[in-house]
Structures are given as structure tokens and as C-alpha cells.
Amino acid sequence: MAPPSNVDGTISFSALNLDVLHNHILSRLDGPTLAALACTSSELNALSAHDKLWQQICTSTWPSANHPLVTAAVSTFPFGHRSLFSDSYPLLLHLHSCNDLDRPFPTTTELISAVDIYYKNVPIFSKVQATETVTAWFLSSPFRVDLVGPEKSLPTWIRQVGEKDSWLKQLEENVTLSWILIDPKQKRAMNMSSRRAVSVQRHWLTGEVQVKFASILAGDGGKGSERECVQCEMVVTCGGKEGGEVHVRDVSMGMEDMEGKALSGKESLVKNVDDGFCFPLILFVSIQISRENYDDDDSV
């Protein structure tokens, strides 16, 4: 039997079987499309709010979102995986600054890094790691997150082919990065990556290739100071022999001020009250950095 139709002959969503809606229509949509559909009516908004739909979208977009640390943190978010997607896709814009290091510290106790690296939009690396933010070592040391140990090397299915310059160009055009920082205490997340590389270069000593991603963040200093803005830089270091497998040797995140000085953990946890949040400074994504911010001699 055909579903009942409206006076004009059209069929409303409410007339369709819920299993058909969820399993054959809504589940086939990507995140932006599902979000747009939810804005069209209260009925579709309610149908699009199911966490299972958004969990499927998040895990297909970011394989790291399937990690137990991430799922546990996201389960406490106001709208679950829909909140994670809203916070982390696309890159966010934040132009406010933080002006006082003497303000009380945020209640953040740890940050979870959910990192995914892609080659031609196919995942080649996923890693989730928690970083404590309350220890004396973290607060006094330069802020840095390392996801691959110094003695480890993770193989990928990519093969290093072509001459030197063409191979670097392939990496620049095809390697993308998502680095989501999750604050379980604040129940928020943000994607720190510029997604596409801002520079690709070969290390002068080791010969390893460094693929750099970066974002410019609002700093805690006044206008014209060295910390008016700060840079969050993520580096993917790759190695391997010509014609052989490409190995991921290192994946790291660090922060610097406008003069290139590394920021400590304490300096990266400045409170911002303008927005009513006690977020760490490193969760304030602002302007995606452009290739012009790098010296032409150092980039490919």
C-alpha cells in the first residue's frame, strides 16, 4: 500500500516508515547536508537529532572518533556526536584575544588529541592520546604533543615514486590532516589543523620529509606585542626509500609566539572570559594560515 499523500499529491516525511527514513535516506547524508536538512522544519530537526546518525558521520569523517577515549568524552557533550561535529567541522574562526595571564586557570585537567592523516582522502594514520594539563612539568615546559615515539615508525600503503620535487608536490597536494582537541571538562572540541599543508620540505640532515600544517590563534598579549597572535603548528614527518613504503616517523603539535618563541603549557592555558568559556588558549582557533606566511625558500 502506498503511503498517504497530501492534498497536492505530495508525500510528507511523516508518512514514511521511520526505518526507511533512518536507514535509507538520512543515513546516506553527510554532516553538512544533514545539518542543513535539520534547519528546514521542526519535524526534520527531530528526525535528524538521533545520535546514531551523527556517530556514523563522525566516525566516517574521523576514524579516531571511534576510539574509547573519544566516545567516552563525547557521551557527555550536550548533543553527543552532533556537538562533536558542530565543534570540529569545519575549521573554526575566533578573533578575540586573551589579555591577562593572571586570570584564574581553566578547570581543564586534560586534553584529548584525536588525529587523522589522509592521503587522497583515504585514512593512513589515526591516533588518540590524552595529555594531562595540571602537572608542573606540563605547565613549565614548552607545549608539545608527540603522537609517535622516537624509536617507532609506522608504515603506510603509500609508495614513494617519482623524482624528488614531484614526490614532494604529491605530498603537498594529497596529504591532509585533522587534529581535534577535546576538552572533556568543558565538553567542547575544536579542529586545530589547517587541513591542507602550508609547507612541505625535506630535512637538510636526515632527508626526512616534513609536512607542516598550522593555524594562527588569538594570543593573550596586547596589540603589537609578540603574543598578540600565536601559531599552532602541526608537523607530520615521513621517511622511506625511493620506490618503497612511506613511513610516518613523527606527528607533533607545538605553539609559538610571533617571534618564534615556544609557549609553555601555562601560557597555552590562558582563560578567555569574553565568550563566557574557560577554554584553553589552544582551543581558540582563528585564522587559517596561508602559504605566504612561510619563506618561499623553505617551502615547496
Side-chain angles (χ1 to χ4, degrees), residues 172-231:
E172 178 189 356
E173 294 175 349
N174 295 307
V175 174
T176 52
L177 170 73
S178 168
W179 192 309
I180 298 174
L181 276 182
I182 300 171
D183 184 342
K185 194 80 170 181
Q186 300 295 328
K187 300 179 176 57
R188 295 297 299 272
M190 287 189 182
N191 202 326
M192 305 298 291
S193 177
S194 54
R195 181 166 172 77
R196 303 198 70 86
V198 296
S199 77
V200 179
Q201 54 190 320
R202 194 178 295 275
H203 192 278
W204 67 272
L205 179 60
T206 65
E208 295 175 331
V209 176
Q210 295 180 323
V211 187
K212 295 183 180 182
F213 304 81
S215 292
I216 299 298
L217 318 179
D220 63 303
K223 187 174 182 179
S225 71
E226 68 275 9
R227 286 214 296 262
E228 178 184 358
C229 293
V230 298
Q231 175 177 289

Side-chain angles (χ1 to χ4, degrees), residues 98-103 220 270-271:
C98 316
N99 296 315
D100 192 353
L101 268 176
D102 295 327
R103 291 176 178 177
D220 63 303
V270 178
K271 182 177 179 181

Side-chain angles (χ1 to χ4, degrees), residues 70-259:
V70 177
T71 55
V74 173
S75 67
T76 68
F77 281 24
F79 300 101
H81 286 85
R82 183 170 63 166
S83 293
L84 175 64
F85 190 86
S86 176
D87 283 350
S88 307
Y89 185 98
L91 305 180
L92 300 184
L93 180 69
H94 187 90
L95 299 177
H96 296 291
S97 61
C98 316
N99 296 315
D100 192 353
L101 268 176
D102 295 327
R103 291 176 178 177
F105 276 83
T107 56
T108 301
T109 56
E110 70 171 358
L111 295 172
I112 298 173
S113 293
V115 181
D116 298 286
I117 303 173
Y118 310 82
Y119 184 79
K120 294 184 177 180
N121 296 320
V122 177
I124 61 171
F125 174 95
S126 291
K127 182 73 179 288
V128 174
Q129 181 172 298
T131 302
E132 293 185 359
T133 61
V134 293
T135 63
W137 179 87
F138 173 85
L139 295 173
S140 60
S141 301
F143 173 78
R144 183 178 174 88
V145 179
D146 287 291
L147 298 184
V148 181
E151 304 300 325
K152 293 183 179 180
S153 179
L154 303 178
T156 70
W157 53 265
I158 308 171
R159 304 195 75 82
Q160 183 173 333
V161 295
E163 297 183 359
K164 173 184 174 182
D165 291 342
S166 64
W167 167 240
L168 295 182
K169 190 67 174 177
Q170 287 181 51
L171 290 178
E172 178 189 356
E173 294 175 349
N174 295 307
V175 174
T176 52
L177 170 73
S178 168
W179 192 309
I180 298 174
L181 276 182
I182 300 171
D183 184 342
K185 194 80 170 181
Q186 300 295 328
K187 300 179 176 57
R188 295 297 299 272
M190 287 189 182
N191 202 326
M192 305 298 291
S193 177
S194 54
R195 181 166 172 77
R196 303 198 70 86
V198 296
S199 77
V200 179
Q201 54 190 320
R202 194 178 295 275
H203 192 278
W204 67 272
L205 179 60
T206 65
E208 295 175 331
V209 176
Q210 295 180 323
V211 187
K212 295 183 180 182
F213 304 81
S215 292
I216 299 298
L217 318 179
D220 63 303
K223 187 174 182 179
S225 71
E226 68 275 9
R227 286 214 296 262
E228 178 184 358
C229 293
V230 298
Q231 175 177 289
C232 179
E233 183 177 84
M234 292 134 282
V235 181
V236 178
T237 303
C238 302
K241 297 180 180 180
E242 185 176 348
E245 288 182 335
V246 174
H247 290 239
V248 176
R249 299 282 176 80
D250 188 30
V251 182
S252 63
M253 172 190 282
M255 293 191 67
E256 298 178 345
D257 64 18
M258 296 178 69
E259 296 182 350

